[in-house]
């Protein structure tokens, strides 16, 4: 019997902390990549964290046509990522997890806190 779990069936959940003040920003973080440039490593969450606030106004993302707005840690004011307010057609056309709260890897630290693996049993006759 072989046990196989594909990439999309593995769920790694991370605690995301601000690099400057070490405040916990979310316990619902997931590893992600920038859809328009898969070399850019990010973390994301699906819900608005109550530990961040919007700063400045919307602007066009650097690598696509998405409209984004920076988010900062409420404790220290460090900009830790951004929210995708209006995703572009290119990003919507690619496989995604529906997370629009993004954390830049160099502004945060991430610690894995939960792993769930769906195991598929394959019988070879």
């Amino acid at each position: 019997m072989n046990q196989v779990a594909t990439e999309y069936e593995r769920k790694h959940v991370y605690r995301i902390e601000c690099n400057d003040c070490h405040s916990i920003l979310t316990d619902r973080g997931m590893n992600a990549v920038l859809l328009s440039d898969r070399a850019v490593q990010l973390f994301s969450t699906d819900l608005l964290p109550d530990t961040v606030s919007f700063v400045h106004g919307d602007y066009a993302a650097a690598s696509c046509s998405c409209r984004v707005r920076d988010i900062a840690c409420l404790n220290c004011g460090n900009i830790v990522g951004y929210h995708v307010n209006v995703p572009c057609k290119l990003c919507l056309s690619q496989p995604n997890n529906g997370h629009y709260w993004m954390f830049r890897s160099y502004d945060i630290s991430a610690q894995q806190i939960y792993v769930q693996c769906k195991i598929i049993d394959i019988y070879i006759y």
Side-chain angles (χ1 to χ4, degrees):
M1 172 178 13
N2 291 334
Q3 294 181 338
V4 179
T6 68
E7 184 66 27
Y8 288 105
E9 291 169 328
R10 288 191 290 267
K11 296 191 181 0
H12 304 273
V13 179
Y14 295 84
R15 170 171 287 153
I16 307 295
E17 295 181 4
C18 174
N19 263 353
D20 282 3
C21 69
H22 306 288
S23 291
I24 297 172
L25 302 173
T26 185
D27 279 334
R28 295 177 57 90
M30 295 187 78
N31 204 342
V33 294
L34 189 62
L35 292 177
S36 58
D37 182 356
R38 295 198 176 270
V40 177
Q41 205 60 33
L42 301 165
F43 286 86
S44 67
T45 190
D46 57 340
L47 297 175
L48 165 63
D50 60 1
T51 53
V52 300
S53 180
F54 286 117
V55 291
H56 313 298
D58 283 13
Y59 60 92
S63 55
C64 65
S65 300
C66 288
R67 297 294 298 173
V68 298
R69 187 171 180 188
D70 288 337
I71 55 174
C73 172
L74 279 176
N75 191 52
C76 70
N78 181 44
I79 295 177
V80 292
Y82 59 92
H83 178 254
V84 180
N85 287 335
V86 182
C88 69
K89 289 180 183 179
L90 170 67
C91 291
L92 285 175
S93 70
Q94 299 192 33
N96 68 76
N97 60 7
H99 290 193
Y100 294 108
W101 299 93
M102 311 305 291
F103 298 96
R104 295 182 181 101
S105 296
Y106 51 84
D107 291 321
I108 56 97
S109 59
Q111 177 185 12
Q112 188 172 316
I113 58 173
Y114 179 73
V115 178
Q116 175 184 357
C117 293
K118 178 180 176 185
I119 303 299
I120 301 171
D121 293 331
I122 299 174
Y123 297 95
I124 300 174
Y125 297 97

